[in-house]
Amino acid sequence: MSSISNPLLFIFLLHLLSIFFTTYSQSHPHPLDPLNPAEINLLRTIINDSYPNSTFHYVGLEEPPKSTILSWLKNSSHTNPNRQSFVIARINKTTHEITVDLTRRRIVSDRIYDGYGYPTLTFAEQTAANQLPFQHAPFLDSIRSRGLEIEETGCMGLGVGWFGEKKRSKRIVRVICYYLEGSVNFYLRPIEGITFTVDLDEMKITGFIDRQIVPVPKSDGTDYRESEQVPPFPSRLRGIAMLQPHRPNFEITGHNIRWANWDFHLSFDARAGPIISLASIYDTDKQRYRRVLYRGFVSEMFVPYMDLSEDWYYRAFLDAGEFGYGMCGVALVPNRDCPENAVFIDAYLAAENGMPVLMPNTFCVFEKYGGDIMWRHTETSFPGQPIREVRPEMTLVVRMVSTVGNYDYINDWEFKQSGSILIKVGLTGLLEVTGSKFTHKDQIKEEVYGTLLAQNTIGSYHDHFITYHLDLDVDGDANSFVKSKLQSTTVNHHNSPRKSYWTVISETAKTEADARIKLGLDEANLLVINPNKKTNMGNFIGYRLIPGSISNPLLSYDDYLQIRAAFTNYNVWVTPYNKSEKWAGGLYADQSRGDDTLASWSLRNRKIENKDIVVWYTMGFHHVPYQEDFPMMPTLTNGFELRPANFFDRNPMLKVKSPQHVKFTNCSC
């Protein structure tokens, strides 16, 4: 075949190929791909044909059964399974769970939910509720009586939780307000004492209380915009660049990403945000890919505040279930949120009316190198002939930022060539503060539930607990969970002058109750093993769960907040795989009562040994605010690691060569 010598013809052919593959991927999507705009439009049309006044609260992929996916993977030339979507809609003030078969273009399941709890709040109804106060005469009078301007006031709705009520309550939110006065820092200027109750189904105010007048915190020093900062400034650092003149080392095909020895699928969900699926690593000794993780994502986030006052006691959020962790995803800023070598990926979600909405730059994917070392050794035993071997470490990062109200959560999935996956969350943004009469700490003689950060401004004590759903398939889907304790042992014989040593005592969890772990009580290695496969040395193939810094709930188990969030009572749970058990806080988190959570499922105490199992891991932050967190909080990061444990027969990075060194000449920048 002759080569193409005309560059314009070559570019034209590449363009045609690009169109072909884009069209093909949309018409033949991977079974785990998120819904594309055409599919969202189709399901909206199908549902509206039956229910013209539907309000769409959740729209996502109804993923095929795991057995179907695994069968398809073995022979992807087979016909793709039918594409289906799962929709939670409000129709005539009733919650419907609707499954739409997009391939056959019809509704295949329509169930009315009449239990406790309500679906995720939509952006449209939150916006409408936040506007109601400005048509309410008593509110306008309250603002004027405080000497404030109504034009500088903004409001925001909050979930109300549950505090032991027996009867099923209406869909309501409590609306609180803030004062701008030329500032963009909405959250640091609360107007304390004013609270509305809004019925979302009726979209009307059903309650208004004005309890007290507390000074609104001053706006001085709260503006965080770079353009508004005034001297003096710290010394400006010279620039650092991450350049890849020969293009990145990863390939993105549709939603599949391949880099170094990793291959995985990335999708988007309105509730979970990023979902990593089918993560497999190539074993050079065995000459094949071996699966590590079938599906991993943020299942729920619990953020309780410690202020007991009337305007605060109910503030305990289940962010994924109430507001949508993915729905709150924001566009990433090139060269700021992500380095210059990043590639950006868009996402789509369904609006309240079911129309597809483009979310640009939702994900970024980039290779990271910051001078880290993969492995090294200097051998000095040979005089005059030192041996130095060093391998620099490059990793691949998938990032999304979710801004849930005042907080920005930076979500990273970082893949290492060694086989490790680092999962990290960084907290930044603005604190939730309460207005106060105090201007100096010496004035405070009572409990204020927080730290005085500035005049009339108290940063409230609170927690962040983030629970991950980790369906590990360690070289197969039949796995077991092993807790290996490090046990200190006294030496009682005279064969050694030593008095003590420690050894490893391993215990395989047989039921769900055996696997519940509250970390920090003792030293332990936590492993998911494949009991049906061994290394050449006879060790079970496995992966370790290595926690980061550990925080456990401090609320009492009978506190209504903790009843709803009982899935945080343990850092680690293990359950048998069940497709319907995805959301640790329950499918309906708004006003939930804790009757449909990971903690309640696990009471069945099912068998988990040599089964297809799911590990649930909760990382936590106890946040005591400090003045450095004001007015903008520097990022605080926590995370954990999934690390090979006898998965390979030896260090899989022994033969890895260092990346090519790139020389930049005549550069005076």
Side-chain angles (χ1 to χ4, degrees), residues 40 43 56-59 270 327 348-357:
I40 295 173
L43 70 88
F56 295 79
H57 288 257
Y58 172 81
V59 174
M327 287 172 59
Y348 288 89
L349 57 75
E352 182 184 53
N353 61 3
M355 292 290 292
V357 176

Side-chain angles (χ1 to χ4, degrees), residues 452-463:
L452 188 67
L453 302 174
Q455 291 188 8
N456 309 118
T457 307
I458 289 176
S460 297
Y461 302 145
H462 60 282
D463 298 317

Side-chain angles (χ1 to χ4, degrees), residues 354-546:
M355 292 290 292
V357 176
L358 171 66
M359 299 177 64
N361 290 7
T362 298
F363 300 118
C364 70
V365 183
F366 60 93
E367 290 172 284
K368 186 174 80 171
Y369 172 61
D372 295 324
I373 297 170
M374 180 188 294
W375 61 263
R376 78 168 323 279
H377 180 60
T378 300
E379 183 57 68
T380 59
S381 299
F382 305 103
Q385 295 181 330
I387 298 173
R388 297 185 185 90
E389 285 291 328
V390 183
R391 299 292 185 274
E393 177 141 86
M394 290 178 62
T395 62
L396 183 77
V397 178
V398 176
R399 175 170 294 168
M400 191 195 92
V401 173
S402 184
T403 300
V404 190
N406 52 304
Y407 266 103
D408 292 56
Y409 297 94
I410 305 164
N411 304 272
D412 282 359
W413 288 78
E414 184 172 352
F415 295 83
K416 303 175 71 170
Q417 293 181 75
S418 63
S420 283
I421 306 175
L422 306 181
I423 299 101
K424 297 185 287 188
V425 175
L427 276 60
T428 181
L430 305 169
L431 294 173
E432 186 99 7
V433 304
T434 180
S436 169
K437 62 184 179 182
F438 301 113
T439 58
H440 193 279
K441 185 179 178 181
D442 291 349
Q443 300 169 346
I444 302 174
K445 306 301 180 184
E446 68 263 26
E447 177 63 79
V448 293
Y449 313 107
T451 304
L452 188 67
L453 302 174
Q455 291 188 8
N456 309 118
T457 307
I458 289 176
S460 297
Y461 302 145
H462 60 282
D463 298 317
H464 302 261
F465 294 105
I466 304 145
T467 300
Y468 282 82
H469 174 286
L470 303 167
D471 183 359
L472 287 157
D473 281 2
V474 178
D475 213 19
D477 55 3
N479 289 172
S480 295
F481 182 71
V482 177
K483 180 179 180 180
S484 296
K485 294 183 179 180
L486 308 185
Q487 180 173 293
S488 179
T489 304
T490 301
V491 177
N492 295 318
H493 54 75
H494 302 291
N495 296 334
S496 172
R498 291 275 297 272
K499 300 294 185 183
S500 64
Y501 69 103
W502 63 259
T503 190
V504 179
I505 306 297
S506 297
E507 179 183 350
T508 300
K510 297 185 181 302
T511 66
E512 293 176 89
D514 297 337
R516 296 173 198 149
I517 295 173
K518 188 181 285 288
L519 295 170
L521 300 181
D522 55 13
E523 292 289 330
N525 281 330
L526 309 176
L527 296 93
V528 174
I529 65 165
N530 188 324
N532 310 295
K533 296 182 180 180
K534 295 182 179 181
T535 64
N536 291 339
M537 295 295 102
N539 296 307
F540 287 120
I541 288 169
Y543 253 75
R544 290 174 63 194
L545 168 63
I546 304 177

